Amino acid sequence: PQPVLLDSISIRPEVILLLDSYFHIVIFHGEHVAMWREQGYHLKPEFANLKALLEAPQQDAKDLLADRYPIPMY
């Protein structure tokens, strides 16, 4: 994970973005990542790294939701 600019150049087909604007938390899957997820690659043992990649932003979002008041929209 690394910070990126809040700009349209950061939206690419092979990335997962987590936006935290304090009141909203949004997870964006690029076109390729969404296609891999829909085809179930993350459920296959040989793609365990993809499963970890998909779960990381969800866990980060859960951590943010647990510690914040008022609770942001997810």
Side-chain angles (χ1 to χ4, degrees):
Q2 64 184 12
V4 296
L5 294 174
L6 184 58
D7 190 79
S8 62
I9 197 163
S10 299
I11 300 173
R12 297 188 316 252
E14 70 281 351
V15 299
I16 299 174
L17 300 174
L18 173 77
L19 172 67
D20 177 11
S21 68
Y22 194 80
F23 295 108
H24 297 88
I25 295 175
V26 178
I27 298 175
F28 169 81
H29 292 118
E31 183 180 359
H32 295 163
V33 177
M35 181 179 59
W36 298 332
R37 184 192 67 223
E38 290 168 5
Q39 292 178 356
Y41 285 133
H42 62 290
L43 303 174
K44 299 178 183 178
E46 62 268 20
F47 294 105
N49 58 345
L50 178 61
K51 182 177 182 179
L53 186 68
L54 290 172
E55 290 175 351
Q58 291 179 355
Q59 185 60 45
D60 290 344
K62 286 179 186 176
D63 293 343
L64 291 169
L65 290 168
D67 296 336
R68 189 157 311 155
Y69 184 81
I71 297 174
M73 291 182 67
Y74 177 61

